[in-house]
Each structure stands twice: as C-alpha cells, then as structure tokens.
Amino acid sequence: MVIGDRWRPDRPAAVPVPWGGQGLKQSDIDAIRHRPIPDPLLWIDGQPAPAIGRAVIPSVSPIDGRRLTHLAAATADDVDAAVTAARESFESGRWSRMAPARRKAILHRIADLLERDAFDLAVLGVRDNGTEIGMALRAEPGSAAGTFRYYAECVDKIAGEIAPTDPAVLGLVHREPAGVIGAILPWNFPLMIGAWKIAPALATGNSVVVKPAAIASLTVLRLAELCREAGLPDGVLNVVTGSGSVAGEALARHMDVDVLTFTGSGTTGRALLRASADSNGKPVWLELGGKSPNIIFADAPDLDLAINAAAGAIFRNAGQVCIAGSRLLVEAGIHDRVLTGVTEAAAAMTTGDPLDLKNDIGAVASETQLESILRHVRTARDQGAELVAGGRRILEASGGTYMQPTIFSGVAPDMALFREEVFGPVLAVTPFETEEEAISIANSTEYGLAAGVWTGDLGRAHRMVRAIDSGVVFVNTYGGADITMPLAGHRQSGSGADKSLHALDKFTRLKSAWIRL
C-alpha cells in the first residue's frame, strides 16, 4: 500500500484549514499522530515502485527516536529509471507541449489538494522532521499551496520576444523548457522548498526528478500522489528516496539531466558542481548555507519588537532555517538591554514534542545534527565565548532530539561560532560601535544569504541595504518575505534564485530565430 492510501483526510474539503494553529485542537492532532505509515515506495512514471535491489533504510522520528517506516533505498539504476521516465514524458509533449491553460488548471488543482490535505500533511511532516506544528502548517502545505498557485498564474504569461532588428529580418526569441530537471531537497521544510523548485519547473513545461532528504521524504512522496490525482501526466514528476551519496550522486551525474537545483550545505553543493563538470556540464543552481547577521541599532523604532523577533529568528524550528538570524549584532549602548531581553524571551519559549500545541520549539531533525550542534557549543566555549543560556541537550529520556535555546555573548569575528553555520538553536551576540563597524562585521563571513536591520533612520536603512552583501535584507522585521520576492544567495550562499518570477529563468532556455523576410 502506498503512503497516500492511508493518509487521506477524513474531513470534507469545505472545512477550513487551521493555519498557524488558530482553531487547531490538540485532540485533532492526537487522533492521527500515531497512525501507522506503510513502507512507501519510489514514485516513478506515475506509479509507486520498489527499489530494484529491494533495499530499504529506516525513517526515524526525532520526536521520540522511534521508527516511523522504511524508505526505499534507490540505486543508480532506480535513478536512471526515473530520469528515463521524465525524459520520455518530456519528449512526448504530453506536458511540455500541453496548452498553457490546461497546465495552469492542473497546477491550481495541485494547490487545491495541498489545501485539502494540509492538516494531515503537516502532522506527517512533523513526525518526519520535528518542526513545531504551528509553523509546519504555515510553512509546509500552506506555503506550498500558495507557491503552486503563484506559478500556475505564470503559465500563460511566459512569452518570448521580437527583437528590434532591421526591417528586412524578423528576430524571434523563444523561451523553451530546459528538459529534465533534477531537484535535491533539504530536510527542513521539504514541501515548501520542494514547491519552490517543482512548481516553477512544471510551470515552464519541464519534467522533474526529485531526491528528497533521507530524513524528510514522506510529504514529498505524498505530493507526488497529489500531483497525479490533480491530472499531472505520468512521468512528469518522479521521486527517488535514499541516501545522498547514492541516489543524489547518481542524479547529479546523470547525462540526461538538463538542470540541477539544490538546497543544502556548501559541502554538498560543491560536490554537485564537480559532478556536473564530470558529466554533461548541466547548470547547477544552489541555495546553500547562511550565517545571517541581525543588526539592532539604538534607534530601532520598537526595541521590544526587535528583541522578540531576534529570539524567534534563531530559535523557531530549533534554528533549522536557512535564513536564521544566527548572528545578533547590537549597538554597544543597548547591548546589555538587548542581551537580557533575548535571554528572557528564550527562557519563555518551551521546547518539546512538536505535536504538542503548548510547545514553541520542536526537535532537532536527527541525532547526527544534534551532535554537530553540541560540537559547535563546545568549540565556542573553548574559544572564549561566554555561554549566557542553554548549551545542553534536553528531554533525552523521551528518545527524541531536543536542544535548549542557547545564547553566547562576547563572540568575536575570528571565532568559529561567528563564522560557521550551526543550523541549530544557537545565537552568537556581538557588540558594535558604529554603522561602519556593523557593516564590516556583517560582511566578514563567507556567506551572504540574509540579514536584518533595525533602525528608525530611513537613510541608514537604505545605506545598510546597499552595503550588506546578502541576497535578502529585512528592515524592521525578520523573515516573512512572500513568494513574490526572490531568495538569492550571494557569495558562498549560492547562485540563482528561488521564489518570484526570477526562479523561472533557471528552468528555461533561450532559442533565437533569425528570419530573413
């Protein structure tokens, strides 16, 4: 039995989804949180398929350390079968040459089904990767549905050009689908980030092979079923699960993959670039790590808001957010007040079972990730940073992977905690004296994904936006940029853009026609 057969919602489609936990009852969650999950298969050519070698890997919940199910462990041969199905579907034209109005309707139907099944998808995803349920509802099925709707509306608005040539010549610029897209997803927010890649790729007429993270595959497999239910032709979306070193590597090196898109670590991103160079030189679009500075000036218009936002920016989802504000830069005159305020805000947040509505912070996604975070904490203490709060694993008896919100002060720019991405609930606090120093400190890492600036000076806000070398700069807020805005990493935070109309560029190619009249 495939996973979707047992995860259909029992409620009618007309019941409103309790986004963000509003109206959500604990009894609703408890009624389905322990549902058995049959071992899911790969999704190839519109059907569930076992891995050729029948090998499986366990899927363990970070909530309690218990096995949820077993995932099919795809081999290179399985990846080849998925790519072959994608290529056949693309060349047949059943999606790539489908009338735009029909493609648009199918993408809207996918969004409808994501909303219909949102509650079940959110609970399933939380069991898989530990995100707190309120955030999961908004950021996973909620965001994914909105993303599919946004790109559905783009389908019949993607047009070519007529070049301003000599009147004796007609110059046409066609914008064509690139072909077969390989998408490798991270374990945090697999539905949201998956939609950022899958929806624009489908909107532009491509076929896709998705490799989700081994510790967060269940909702992506469910998405594939929903796409088929919505009318997406067989072979247009395929999902291969398993290890990155086998399935991910095979996808990256496949000679018939035309474009590769990835969100994850810099180490893996560089390996994918090498795989592309060693195979067919396919374009590789990367959204990599971040060490985002969140800068609070003394003239912040609402300092209490800035303090609470700073805590949320690093501690929600246990810090496992690509744009997490992991470096808090504070003007010296308000440093102590801000440090006290953030520490108090962290102390007021409860960490625990992410399917319990009373908790604010869920689980770290895996034992491996938790061990990595704790190594960063030990290194920070060894290098002289002052541990202000947290620093320990908690609730170990539950079997789950939970970490205290952790704050270090006195973090100097040459310390590892200042420069290296932790991807956990660990905040590094650093004072500064002047605007120029804040800019210098903010730009003194290899990353450039996101930043925050809190100031009541409009001129300063504009100067900071221009001076900070990152793809996104939030001013007097942190996070919340919607699908209309691109997420584009600078420096070693990546290349290309997810979200917005700019994401369409990754999945199309240009063809010029020079016609003498």
Side-chain angles (χ1 to χ4, degrees):
M1 182 183 296
V2 295
I3 190 170
D5 289 341
R6 204 173 291 181
W7 278 85
R8 295 250 187 252
D10 297 324
R11 64 193 57 75
V15 174
V17 175
W19 300 121
Q22 295 180 350
L24 182 61
K25 298 177 181 178
Q26 188 64 51
S27 57
D28 295 332
I29 300 169
D30 293 341
I32 67 171
R33 63 174 296 159
H34 296 300
R35 281 180 178 172
I37 303 172
D39 291 350
L41 305 177
L42 309 176
W43 188 264
I44 298 176
D45 202 17
Q47 298 293 332
I52 291 172
R54 303 282 174 167
V56 296
I57 56 176
S59 174
V60 176
S61 176
I63 296 175
D64 54 17
R66 296 179 181 176
R67 180 180 60 79
L68 288 173
T69 186
H70 287 96
L71 295 172
T75 65
D77 289 337
D78 294 301
V79 172
D80 182 65
V83 172
T84 298
R87 174 59 64 191
E88 191 279 328
S89 72
F90 180 76
E91 298 296 344
S92 75
R94 56 181 179 263
W95 179 253
S96 58
R97 294 193 294 275
M98 182 184 285
R102 289 183 60 201
R103 291 210 313 267
K104 176 179 179 176
I106 289 171
L107 293 181
H108 272 301
R109 178 61 176 153
I110 293 169
D112 291 341
L113 297 177
L114 282 166
E115 290 177 346
R116 184 198 70 184
D117 290 10
F119 179 71
D120 298 87
L121 282 165
V123 173
L124 178 61
V126 172
R127 294 174 72 188
D128 206 13
N129 74 350
T131 300
E132 52 268 21
I133 183 63
M135 174 174 276
L137 275 167
R138 293 191 304 274
E140 286 284 82
S143 174
T147 297
F148 272 94
R149 290 205 189 284
Y150 178 84
Y151 288 109
E153 289 300 327
C154 294
V155 169
D156 54 6
K157 301 170 185 66
I158 302 168
E161 306 167 26
I162 299 177
T165 60
D166 185 288
V169 173
L170 177 61
L172 302 178
V173 182
H174 297 277
R175 196 173 186 181
E176 298 182 334
V180 174
I181 310 300
I184 302 178
L185 307 182
W187 41 261
N188 64 318
F189 307 115
L191 265 185
M192 178 180 76
I193 296 174
W196 290 353
K197 301 177 188 305
I198 297 167
L202 294 180
T204 46
N206 298 282
S207 294
V208 185
V209 179
V210 180
K211 163 58 179 75
I215 60 173
S217 296
L218 299 179
T219 55
V220 180
L221 288 164
R222 183 74 181 103
L223 172 63
E225 293 186 357
L226 295 181
C227 287
R228 188 174 193 274
E229 183 180 347
L232 189 71
D234 292 349
V236 175
L237 178 63
N238 307 271
V239 181
V240 290
T241 56
S243 72
S245 60
V246 177
E249 177 82 359
L251 187 61
R253 291 184 175 275
H254 203 288
M255 296 294 290
D256 210 22
V257 171
D258 297 299
V259 173
L260 192 66
T261 176
F262 168 74
T263 294
S265 72
T267 299
T268 301
R270 286 185 285 273
L272 296 177
L273 289 170
R274 288 190 292 269
S276 170
D278 291 342
S279 55
N280 61 347
K282 61 182 72 64
V284 181
W285 302 108
L286 304 171
E287 195 264 273
L288 305 177
K291 194 67 182 178
S292 300
N294 190 13
I295 307 165
I296 302 180
F297 287 93
D299 66 352
D302 187 335
L303 194 55
D304 289 335
L305 175 62
I307 288 169
N308 287 324
I314 183 60
F315 298 133
R316 294 304 305 275
N317 198 35
Q320 300 162 117
V321 180
C322 59
I323 64 167
S326 55
R327 289 186 294 149
L328 184 60
L329 313 186
V330 186
E331 191 167 356
I334 57 169
H335 174 272
D336 291 352
R337 177 182 172 186
V338 170
L339 180 60
T340 298
V342 173
T343 303
E344 291 174 349
M349 302 174 85
T350 57
T351 300
D353 181 351
L355 288 173
D356 189 326
L357 289 172
K358 73 173 183 291
N359 292 324
D360 304 299
I361 303 171
V364 173
S366 68
E367 286 282 351
T368 299
Q369 183 60 22
L370 180 57
E371 291 168 4
S372 174
I373 296 168
L374 292 171
R375 283 196 299 272
H376 281 284
V377 169
R378 291 192 294 270
T379 299
R381 299 185 73 169
D382 291 344
Q383 292 183 346
E386 180 185 352
L387 180 63
V388 176
R392 295 187 299 108
R393 177 178 187 166
I394 56 175
L395 304 175
E396 192 167 0
S398 70
T401 45
Y402 299 95
M403 174 83 184
Q404 290 176 315
T406 298
I407 302 172
F408 282 93
S409 67
V411 181
D414 61 348
M415 292 181 181
L417 185 61
F418 188 93
R419 308 184 72 84
E420 298 176 7
E421 185 178 40
V422 177
F423 219 65
V426 181
L427 179 64
V429 183
T430 303
F432 66 88
E433 297 285 348
T434 66
E435 181 179 314
E436 293 72 22
E437 185 184 9
I439 293 168
S440 176
I441 294 173
N443 289 337
S444 63
T445 74
E446 64 187 23
Y447 297 110
L449 190 58
V453 176
W454 298 81
T455 179
D457 184 331
L458 182 60
R460 170 180 281 163
H462 280 288
R463 290 193 299 273
M464 296 297 288
V465 168
R466 290 183 178 275
I468 296 173
D469 193 0
S470 68
V472 181
V473 181
F474 303 104
V475 178
N476 294 332
T477 187
Y478 201 96
D482 66 19
I483 192 62
T484 65
M485 295 291 288
L487 177 60
H490 292 188
R491 295 182 286 168
Q492 293 193 41
S493 284
S495 58
D498 281 334
K499 303 168 56 186
S500 82
L501 296 177
H502 296 282
L504 299 170
D505 295 337
K506 299 187 298 188
F507 306 116
T508 57
R509 60 186 183 184
L510 300 180
K511 177 183 287 183
S512 297
W514 185 262
I515 305 170
R516 182 163 297 280
L517 301 177

